[in-house]
Amino acid sequence: MDLIRRKQRHGPRAVAAGFVAFAAIWLSGCSGEYPQSTLDPASGFSADLADLYGTIFWWAVFVFVVVEALLIYAVIKYRARPGQEGMPKQVHGHTALEIAWTLAPVVILIFIAVPTIQTIFKVDGTPEAGALEIEVIGHQWWWEFRYPEYGIITANELHLPVGRPVAFTMTSADVIHSFWLPRLGGKRDVIQGRTSRLALTPDSVGMFMGQCAEYCGSSHANMRTIAFVDTQEDFDAWVALQQTTPPPVAELEGLVRRGAEVFSGIREPANHSCLVCHRVEGITYGAIGPNLTHLASRTTIAGGILPNTADGLRRWLRDPPGEKPGEMVGRSMPDIDLTEEEIEALVAYLQSLR
Ligand code: CUA
């Protein structure tokens, strides 16, 4: 009894303290950086989506306020009063009210449907004239990017010139993936045997994170991408670098040469050799895994999950399935039992591929 009384006395204060603590934790979610926020658009495509989101959000706020106000009004006005006897007056059927609450949602839905349908047509992927064409191929679990205009094939990291329209033509080598750069555009499914399109024009220079957005197997979360939106000069420099060919093995020396030999040589079993899957222009011609011709010019490896440093490369080469688990339809990189000596040589060679 005593306990209940004490509880009642402290009740409102405890509730207030609890509310403040909850609000503090909840609002702390509003601080910090959001590299994948769709509400911070960096292209016309994502600005259109953010506008539509805003439109629907404010309609939801309007509906919430009206409904809650009517609810609070009814609760207060029709509450039980001391001395009141029997049931309140019971009302059944009010034609004017029923027409009103049928028509009001119809009008609101029209205000939501019209901008939604307009936006769907606006972002349908029709490329603008002079767009930079990029072919996107989803693989378990990495992205392949081809720039036919420049003869470049790369992986996981895109470079786009600021202000130029981009037209992505997308497909999958295996299961369904979804291409999504939240601040630039998407998400759009990529499906084997079909072509999906995405067109956007990045409007600010910077680094924009992306993530596969369709569950595609155990390492779905390890299928990331980065789009670097460059100034025209930086983009031209990147293109020029990507178009160079690495020197042949015979011109290499020391550990780098040893690494090139491991990379381009047959190991046993033969399907456990780098050259079966990977291409380095002029040296090996595999086409299953990422093209590594200019690997050292990328900031990350392994679908964006590890930094492209000596330590990151060592970690990856020692145990690829440990870093990126899952064996499904695709052929993610197996553990090919490299020795520490081979790993050190490969790291030196891969870091020379600028
Ligand atoms: Cu690819 Cu999820």
Side-chain angles (χ1 to χ4, degrees), residues 46-62:
S46 48
D48 287 338
L49 297 197
D51 285 350
L52 182 62
Y53 177 88
T55 303
I56 294 172
F57 175 78
W58 288 113
W59 274 112
V61 168
F62 170 73

Side-chain angles (χ1 to χ4, degrees), residues 139 141 143 176-178 212-217 220 223:
H139 297 259
W141 289 276
W143 293 101
I176 301 175
H177 304 272
S178 180
C212 178
E214 178 72 55
Y215 182 71
C216 54
H220 158 66
M223 187 167 169

Side-chain angles (χ1 to χ4, degrees), residues 115-195:
T116 301
I117 292 167
Q118 281 174 335
T119 308
I120 288 171
F121 279 98
K122 209 167 162 190
V123 299
D124 71 348
T126 308
E128 285 184 49
L132 168 63
E133 295 240 4
I134 299 178
E135 293 165 11
V136 176
I137 304 163
H139 297 259
Q140 278 177 316
W141 289 276
W142 58 283
W143 293 101
E144 179 173 351
F145 300 122
R146 297 166 176 246
Y147 294 67
E149 185 180 331
Y150 301 110
I152 293 171
I153 300 175
T154 185
N156 300 319
E157 296 186 8
L158 276 168
H159 282 257
L160 310 171
V162 67
R164 179 169 173 194
V166 186
F168 294 102
T169 308
M170 314 192 290
T171 191
S172 169
D174 35 58
V175 299
I176 301 175
H177 304 272
S178 180
F179 187 65
W180 190 33
L181 296 159
R183 293 188 60 201
L184 292 176
K187 56 185 75 152
R188 199 145 288 174
D189 279 4
V190 302
I191 300 164
Q192 193 186 46
R194 286 178 60 172
T195 301

